[in-house]
Amino acid sequence: MIKKIPVCILLNDRIIPLWIFTGISDMVASEGADITLIIDKMPVSRQHRSMSCLPGILMLRLIDKIDWLIFRSSKNYNSKRDVSQLHGLTGVVEAVTSHETGDEYKDRLTTLLETLKPDVIIKFGEHYLSKKAIRIAEYGVWTFSVDSDAKTAGFDYGFWEVIRQEPVSFSSVELIMDDQKACQTIMASVESTCPFSINKNRNKVFFRTSLFPRRLIEGLQASGTDYLARQIERFSDHKSQRSDSRTSLKSFALLRVVFMYLYRVSRFVINKFLYTDAFRWRLMINLSAGGNRYSIMFEKFSEISSPPGVFWADPFIVWSKGMYYIFVEEFVYRKNKAHISVLELDSNGLMTGYHPVIVQGYHMSYPFIFRLDEDYFMIPETASNNTIELYRCTSFPDIWEFDRIMMKDVSATDSTLFNHNGRWWLFTTLDKTGSVSGGSTELYLFYTDHPLSGNWISHPLNPVVSDERSARCAGNLFTDNGVIYRPAQDCTIRYGRGFSLRRVTLLNETEYNEILETEIKPVWDKNLKGTHTFNFDNGMTIIDVYDFHGRLSSN
């Protein structure tokens, strides 16, 4: 039995925000830590601002409140919970800080921590820690950027990112150093900023952050003392993105910022009336795109038109017996649901026919295909069924039979297999936030000796990517001159905005790393809004692109 890690969690109150409560609850449920809570109520510091800032701040407070009233959820990030509701804690210590000087407080807290001898100290809120206290825990003091950030004008993290239309919002866990000014990142994530709601943006970021404590504790249990050093190296390039004061709080300066925010939200509302959430996707092919695939002239690609009432997306190509077979998501607008179809193209790229091949009662997309011995297999996306499913082809390309469920009770998107060094590697994006954030932020990696064995081993660095700019797969992984490339979607601002090619520099049972090779956005056509799949076979390269689909459109 693996020994539990003794953890002390510092809180300012028994009543805490839901995201903190959830993080602690998850650690308790994992049974990986002996958790003692230390509750000390620190005096509230008050910021004094000039009267010239007051009207502007009141205006922003009004925007924040209205947004909360419209977009709050039953499980909001800042809903209050009482830690006494938690079961399975080792203990709860309530510290009394009244009538103490700063030094007396530090000495008492240090003595208490020395008595408890935690291996990890997790800090939420404001606490005065001496250098001696910081050195007590073997694995240090952890703090959270979304919690410890200097909040401009007192707004919670996630406010200014929406107001200033920043494309991404950051969160991280940091290891506090002796001087409490320098920190080292040990876990980080990047979320696409919600373009229209402050509260929705905060829910995404804060609930993502609530996943971090358990992951770190489980990593320490699995990998021991070297784990944090590896995490520090892994996130060495991460720059802690903190709120700043570059936006003046004076009323006149804020008017332009607020006007631009309201203008963007108004456009978003109008677009929701004019266009469907399902875009109008099209396929683009090129039969002369060989050679350097990273400098393809996409403006020379030709379009494959879909019939009225549907779109085709997520294309995967199989060249067989002198024909191109393109397996796609065929989305029917009237049903708001998709199935898998195959398009048949001759050697010149001319379509000779198309028809459905897999239809279920739930949405299906991303028909990833691989060959094993003489058989073709498909792993379509079936996230709406909370499964990863495998289908076997019994008569290519038309007849596909359900083979097995590879994973169940998972919200998995765009699962992609890759055979490398005698292992089969399964790349898939999993949503662990209960649909608060969605399925495009975190890439998980599993491996096995044989894809039909059912013995999928989770990679110790999971999630190997936590970044909505690059987590979700955008097609087959491939090798070029011995180098592995992973096409990856960029889902910031809106879904399917673009894709990139990521060069995989490390892929084994203990390590994973990738770096950006090139980014692709549909800049060759001003009418296009995005592209999110890249595949090729036998001289044909294919992508999908989209523009907005009008609610009154016949196609």
Side-chain angles (χ1 to χ4, degrees):
M1 182 176 179
I2 301 176
K3 181 183 176 182
K4 291 186 177 182
I5 296 173
V7 176
C8 279
I9 298 179
L10 304 180
L11 302 171
N12 288 144
D13 203 307
R14 278 182 173 269
I15 309 302
I16 57 177
L18 179 58
W19 75 273
I20 298 177
F21 185 91
T22 301
I24 298 173
S25 178
D26 284 350
M27 279 195 293
V28 172
S30 75
E31 299 184 344
D34 283 322
I35 300 173
T36 300
L37 303 183
I38 299 177
I39 302 170
D40 64 271
K41 297 184 178 181
M42 302 296 296
V44 178
S45 60
R46 300 187 180 275
Q47 294 182 335
H48 298 282
R49 302 189 183 279
S50 68
M51 292 301 293
S52 63
C53 296
L54 186 58
I57 292 175
L58 290 175
M59 180 169 51
L60 294 175
R61 290 285 175 202
L62 179 62
I63 290 173
D64 198 6
K65 183 65 174 181
I66 293 172
D67 183 275
W68 179 82
L69 289 171
I70 295 173
F71 294 106
R72 72 185 186 276
S73 67
S74 58
K75 293 183 178 179
N76 219 62
Y77 82 101
N78 61 352
S79 299
K80 302 305 180 185
R81 294 292 187 275
D82 190 334
V83 291
S84 63
Q85 298 173 358
L86 283 171
H87 301 287
L89 297 171
T90 302
V92 179
V93 179
E94 292 213 49
V96 179
T97 61
S98 59
H99 309 298
E100 285 184 324
T101 66
D103 288 339
E104 288 173 337
Y105 167 79
K106 286 183 181 180
D107 291 342
R108 184 180 50 74
L109 185 56
T110 300
T111 301
L112 177 57
L113 290 170
E114 286 178 323
T115 302
L116 294 170
K117 296 182 174 64
D119 285 346
V120 174
I121 298 172
I122 301 178
K123 183 173 80 73
F124 292 103
E126 294 296 325
H127 304 271
Y128 301 145
L129 293 174
S130 65
K131 289 185 178 181
K132 187 176 181 180
I134 292 173
R135 297 182 185 130
I136 289 172
E138 180 180 358
Y139 303 120
V141 180
W142 302 350
T143 187
F144 299 81
S145 62
V146 297
D147 179 58
S148 59
D149 195 357
K151 301 169 184 175
T152 304
F155 291 99
D156 281 355
Y157 185 85
F159 177 86
W160 291 107
E161 287 68 24
V162 177
I163 293 294
R164 293 191 297 226
Q165 200 183 13
E166 295 180 2
V168 293
S169 298
F170 297 83
S171 62
S172 63
V173 183
E174 296 172 344
L175 186 64
I176 297 178
M177 310 306 290
D178 280 357
D179 61 5
Q180 302 194 47
K181 294 180 180 178
C183 296
Q184 291 181 306
T185 302
I186 55 177
M187 186 163 285
S189 183
V190 181
E191 292 277 347
S192 174
T193 299
C194 180
F196 61 89
S197 170
I198 299 160
N199 195 66
K200 278 184 171 290
N201 192 55
R202 286 170 172 162
N203 276 336
K204 290 172 58 176
V205 176
F206 280 86
F207 278 116
R208 179 74 60 195
T209 305
S210 72
L211 300 172
F212 296 165
R214 175 173 179 169
R215 289 177 182 171
L216 288 165
I217 292 297
E218 290 178 343
L220 282 173
Q221 278 196 307
S223 303
T225 56
D226 293 336
Y227 176 72
L228 285 187
R230 291 172 61 194
Q231 288 293 100
I232 291 170
E233 182 179 0
R234 181 182 178 190
F235 294 103
S236 59
D237 293 334
H238 175 79
K239 306 298 183 186
S240 180
Q241 303 291 324
R242 297 185 177 276
S243 296
D244 54 40
S245 56
R246 65 185 174 184
T247 299
S248 172
L249 296 179
K250 294 184 178 180
S251 300
F252 289 111
L254 279 177
L255 281 176
R256 183 178 183 276
V257 174
V258 171
F259 174 80
M260 293 303 297
Y261 165 73
L262 294 175
Y263 172 72
R264 292 194 309 271
V265 172
S266 299
R267 286 189 60 187
F268 180 86
V269 172
I270 292 170
N271 286 342
K272 291 291 284 186
F273 282 108
L274 295 178
Y275 303 109
T276 66
D277 290 334
F279 303 137
R280 188 171 76 95
W281 290 90
R282 287 128 49 198
L283 306 180
M284 307 290 291
I285 64 169
N286 191 345
L287 275 172
S288 59
N292 184 357
R293 301 186 186 98
Y294 321 129
S295 60
I296 295 173
M297 305 293 288
F298 289 106
E299 63 272 16
K300 295 184 178 180
F301 278 40
S302 56
E303 180 177 337
I304 300 178
S305 299
S306 59
V310 305
F311 71 64
W312 291 330
D314 293 348
F316 283 80
I317 308 174
V318 175
W319 167 259
S320 179
K321 299 178 181 178
M323 295 283 290
Y324 292 103
Y325 298 96
I326 302 176
F327 294 85
V328 297
E329 166 196 355
E330 183 171 61
F331 184 91
V332 183
Y333 287 109
R334 179 174 52 84
K335 297 180 178 179
N336 197 36
K337 185 175 75 69
H339 54 263
I340 305 303
S341 289
V342 63
L343 319 181
E344 299 177 359
L345 280 67
D346 64 21
S347 58
N348 295 315
L350 299 176
M351 189 166 66
T352 61
Y354 70 93
H355 54 273
V357 291
I358 306 178
V359 180
Q360 296 286 15
Y362 41 86
H363 179 83
M364 306 182 81
S365 59
Y366 197 82
F368 171 80
I369 292 180
F370 68 101
R371 194 167 186 177
L372 185 63
D373 299 325
E374 298 301 316
D375 294 328
Y376 284 101
F377 291 85
M378 183 190 297
I379 307 175
E381 180 196 306
T382 53
S384 61
N385 198 41
N386 293 319
T387 54
I388 300 178
E389 300 176 2
L390 181 68
Y391 290 77
R392 183 193 297 261
C393 188
T394 57
S395 178
F396 188 84
D398 304 306
I399 302 176
W400 296 80
E401 295 181 353
F402 175 78
D403 186 88
R404 69 191 68 194
I405 292 178
M406 298 172 64
M407 294 185 187
K408 62 181 179 178
D409 300 324
V410 292
S411 179
T413 52
D414 298 353
S415 301
T416 307
L417 277 183
F418 183 60
N419 192 358
H420 174 67
N421 279 352
R423 300 278 198 190
W424 288 83
W425 304 87
L426 175 63
F427 295 77
T428 187
T429 37
L430 297 180
D431 174 28
K432 300 282 189 176
T433 66
S435 299
V436 173
S437 175
S440 302
T441 302
E442 295 194 325
L443 177 67
Y444 282 72
L445 182 58
F446 302 86
Y447 64 90
T448 186
D449 291 332
H450 195 281
L452 303 185
S453 69
N455 181 32
W456 291 101
I457 301 170
S458 178
H459 197 280
L461 295 183
N462 274 334
V464 294
V465 177
S466 187
D467 189 333
E468 206 158 356
R469 297 171 297 187
S470 62
R472 194 164 176 168
C473 287
N476 284 295
L477 280 81
F478 61 93
T479 57
D480 190 19
N481 294 322
V483 178
I484 302 171
Y485 294 93
R486 185 179 71 88
Q489 298 182 41
D490 179 355
C491 295
T492 56
I493 300 179
R494 60 179 173 271
Y495 173 71
R497 191 168 68 97
F499 67 87
S500 62
L501 297 180
R502 316 281 300 181
R503 178 153 44 97
V504 178
T505 58
L506 277 173
L507 174 57
N508 57 49
E509 292 81 354
T510 59
E511 299 171 297
Y512 182 82
N513 190 58
E514 62 181 37
I515 58 177
L516 175 65
E517 182 73 19
T518 188
E519 290 183 298
I520 293 95
K521 302 290 191 300
V523 294
W524 61 89
D525 185 339
K526 65 181 181 179
N527 295 316
L528 296 179
K529 305 300 182 182
T531 174
H532 82 339
T533 310
F534 173 85
N535 278 306
F536 57 87
D537 192 15
N538 194 54
M540 176 183 284
T541 300
I542 190 166
I543 62 172
D544 53 8
V545 297
Y546 75 85
D547 56 16
F548 294 142
H549 175 258
R551 291 191 180 276
L552 301 179
S553 174
S554 61
N555 188 22

